[in-house]
């Protein structure tokens, strides 16, 4: 079974940076063979897609474009989300999953526990 586990969240002041990691495990599974998406869910809101990387394509949600950077390291089987110039509205639990949209994410592998990102003003 494929598992994706997020880490790297924390408490940071507005304007600060964090780097999230999404470590993948599972027989024969490599992150470069699939599209891996980052998602977030703030209290009282629906889960939304933030960024996605896969098969030579990278995409970002409009509000994070220019501040967040998604990358992958196949040797470590890990996908990263570098978040710069963080804003209080970025506060949420962040998840990674196979797939770029909330419609398909979570179908090929279960959602991980997520990692909490809190940005103070």
């Amino acid at each position: 079974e494929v598992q994706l586990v997020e880490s790297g969240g924390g408490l940071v002041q507005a304007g600060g940076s964090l780097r999230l990691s999404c470590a993948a495990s599972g027989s024969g599974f490599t992150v470069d063979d699939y599209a891996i998406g980052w998602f977030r869910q703030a209290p009282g809101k629906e889960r939304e897609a933030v960024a996605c990387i896969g098969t030579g394509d990278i995409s970002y949600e409009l509000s994070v474009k220019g501040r967040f950077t998604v990358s992958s390291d196949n040797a470590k089987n890990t996908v990263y989300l570098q978040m710069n110039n963080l804003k209080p509205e970025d506060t949420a639990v962040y998840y990674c999953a196979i797939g770029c949209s909330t419609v398909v994410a979570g179908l090929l592998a279960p959602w991980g526990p997520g990692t909490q990102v809190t940005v103070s003003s």
Side-chain angles (χ1 to χ4, degrees), residues 40-94:
R40 66 186 179 188
Q41 188 166 19
K45 295 187 177 181
E46 293 188 353
R47 194 170 300 186
E48 63 174 355
V50 173
C52 195
I53 183 170
T55 59
D57 190 32
I58 294 176
S59 61
Y60 298 96
E61 193 270 331
L62 190 58
S63 70
V64 308
K65 205 168 186 179
R67 300 188 297 123
F68 290 11
T69 302
V70 63
S71 62
S72 66
D73 185 335
N74 202 44
K76 296 183 178 180
N77 221 15
T78 300
V79 175
Y80 301 98
L81 185 67
Q82 176 68 43
M83 306 186 297
N84 298 328
N85 191 21
L86 282 160
K87 304 176 180 181
E89 51 264 42
D90 294 319
T91 295
V93 179
Y94 284 70

Side-chain angles (χ1 to χ4, degrees), residues 2-6 22-25 29 31 36-37 77 96-98 109-114:
V2 176
Q3 284 191 319
L4 302 174
V5 179
E6 307 88 351
C22 171
S25 62
F29 180 83
V31 295
I36 303 295
N77 221 15
C96 60
I98 300 173
W111 289 100

Side-chain angles (χ1 to χ4, degrees), residues 90-110:
D90 294 319
T91 295
V93 179
Y94 284 70
Y95 304 87
C96 60
I98 300 173
C100 295
S101 76
T102 54
V103 174
V104 298
L107 295 180
L108 294 181

